[in-house]
Amino acid sequence: MANISNRNGKPNGKATDMPPSNTPSSSKKQTHLYKSLQFYWFLGHALTVFHFAFYSIPFNVLYLIGPHYHQVACLLSILGTYGIVILQFFKYQKIKKNSNFDVTYNLKFFHKIIQLDNFQYFFSTLIMFLISIAFNRNNALKLIPNSVLLSPTIYSLFHCLNYICKNNSAFTYQCPPNILAYFEKFITNYNAKSVRLAQILECTTLFQFLIRLWYLPLKIVLSCISRIFNSNYSLSNSLGSIYLEFILSISYIWFFKMRLKNPDQKVKTICNNFDTQFTKFFENLQAKYNLQLVKYYRTAKYTIMTFFNAIPV
């Protein structure tokens, strides 16, 4: 059977992945499954896919609830899956610790947790979740890009399929063998491609937040000007939104910089490929129309990278 990869495209079994469950083969199999944390981890992924589906469809039977509800619920489901993995990692690592309180050990352990990709996803998603519930529905929908939800939803879809294939016999309502075979074939054929797609979405999301961070000073100036000429304009609300947008942008850029420190360099390779393609695109336009587009592109890239490099990790 195909082995689903984690969020870095690596096989399961790493410290950042859900530890395997020791499911007994007796009549208590179903009870054990439904009481395990791994089942709620699966449930969180299933809810992520469910809420993102209704969040993405413009017109559906649950649209009266509002897309903002599905956005918040999707972020909360994502938080749950990451939280369970981090909890399990914390639990298994703590077993090895001595009973005495060791400051050096705990600092190293905290540093180790920060290096986990699941913690980085958890922290970034937590900021988005808090900002999503802090904003009104229209601002929250505009502020958080769809790619922020789509990327983890892709991972969740394959985690769900893999979990069903491995634990189908323990479910009360089991999938037919032909459906399981289709799931396994789908995982085999599209897992690697989907992981790459999710990583590309993360790169494009980073670009969006870098652009937003770049023109935030301009938005502050425009807000002040609008306040001068419009007595009904609420400057405090406008600056508050800008402040939250700044926090959201900084948190995602921090998350992405931590991702670049990962030994797996696939994300960095994707970013370099984007840069190469953009450079070639502007070179072709420059040769055709005799415009200094490459120079402007490199200047813009340098300015954006200045913001990127200024954020510590």
Side-chain angles (χ1 to χ4, degrees):
M1 183 178 67
N3 188 19
I4 186 72
S5 63
N6 67 4
R7 290 173 172 81
N8 285 328
K10 298 179 181 179
N12 275 340
K14 302 297 181 183
T16 53
D17 294 321
M18 194 65 190
S21 60
N22 298 320
T23 307
S25 56
S26 64
S27 59
K28 298 180 180 179
K29 194 174 183 180
Q30 291 182 354
T31 304
H32 178 89
L33 180 69
Y34 295 144
K35 289 184 177 181
S36 66
L37 276 178
Q38 193 178 23
F39 174 75
Y40 293 99
W41 171 82
F42 158 74
L43 190 61
H45 285 300
L47 289 173
T48 298
V49 176
F50 171 82
H51 286 293
F52 181 81
F54 284 102
Y55 166 78
S56 304
I57 300 174
F59 304 100
N60 54 72
V61 294
L62 297 181
Y63 199 74
L64 292 176
I65 299 177
H68 183 233
Y69 164 81
H70 291 293
Q71 181 190 69
V72 173
C74 187
L75 289 170
L76 183 60
S77 301
I78 296 170
L79 276 176
T81 60
Y82 295 140
I84 289 175
V85 176
I86 295 171
L87 177 64
Q88 289 292 85
F89 175 79
F90 186 87
K91 175 183 175 182
Y92 280 85
Q93 291 294 317
K94 274 295 185 181
I95 294 176
K96 303 177 183 179
K97 182 181 179 302
N98 297 328
S99 58
N100 298 329
F101 183 80
D102 188 345
V103 176
T104 304
Y105 175 87
N106 283 276
L107 288 176
K108 290 181 178 179
F109 183 68
F110 178 73
H111 179 74
K112 191 174 183 180
I113 291 180
I114 293 178
Q115 300 303 316
L116 296 178
D117 59 343
N118 278 285
F119 175 82
Q120 297 158 15
Y121 278 98
F122 178 87
F123 177 79
S124 177
T125 306
L126 177 62
I127 297 298
M128 295 178 192
F129 172 75
L130 294 176
I131 290 179
S132 180
I133 61 178
F135 271 106
N136 61 56
R137 64 180 66 181
N138 292 329
N139 287 337
L141 292 172
K142 294 177 181 178
L143 185 61
I144 300 178
N146 291 338
S147 55
V148 168
L149 299 180
L150 178 56
S151 179
T153 301
I154 292 174
Y155 297 127
S156 292
L157 174 62
F158 281 90
H159 281 308
C160 286
L161 296 179
N162 188 67
Y163 183 88
I164 292 173
C165 291
K166 288 184 176 180
N167 299 278
N168 184 58
S169 60
F171 284 114
T172 304
Y173 302 99
Q174 301 177 5
C175 291
N178 59 328
I179 300 296
L180 286 180
Y182 174 79
F183 286 167
E184 293 177 2
K185 183 178 180 181
F186 183 83
I187 292 171
T188 303
N189 294 338
Y190 297 103
N191 177 65
K193 296 178 181 178
S194 298
V195 168
R196 179 172 174 79
L197 174 61
Q199 292 170 341
I200 291 174
L201 289 171
E202 291 173 1
C203 294
T204 57
T205 304
L206 170 70
F207 181 75
Q208 293 181 60
F209 281 118
L210 283 171
I211 294 296
R212 289 182 180 184
L213 191 63
W214 182 65
Y215 69 73
L216 273 181
L218 177 61
K219 291 184 68 174
I220 296 176
V221 173
L222 293 177
S223 297
C224 295
I225 294 175
S226 299
R227 177 66 181 90
I228 295 174
F229 293 100
N230 184 4
S231 59
N232 297 325
Y233 186 82
S234 177
L235 180 61
S236 59
N237 291 340
S238 177
L239 292 179
S241 299
I242 293 174
Y243 177 69
L244 291 178
E245 187 174 358
F246 173 79
I247 294 177
L248 180 59
S249 301
I250 294 295
S251 65
Y252 193 88
I253 295 171
W254 174 87
F255 153 76
F256 199 89
K257 291 189 72 171
M258 293 295 294
R259 296 275 283 123
L260 291 178
K261 294 176 63 176
N262 194 291
D264 183 8
Q265 295 296 313
K266 291 182 179 179
V267 175
K268 189 173 183 179
T269 302
I270 292 173
C271 292
N272 292 334
N273 290 339
F274 271 124
D275 180 40
T276 302
Q277 292 175 6
F278 276 118
T279 302
K280 290 182 178 179
F281 173 75
F282 287 113
E283 285 177 349
N284 293 334
L285 288 180
Q286 179 171 300
K288 185 175 181 180
Y289 297 104
N290 194 24
L291 299 173
Q292 299 297 320
L293 297 178
V294 177
K295 177 182 178 181
Y296 295 136
Y297 167 69
R298 289 174 178 169
T299 301
K301 183 178 71 172
Y302 174 80
T303 304
I304 293 175
M305 289 305 298
T306 300
F307 284 101
F308 182 79
N309 295 327
I311 298 175
V313 292

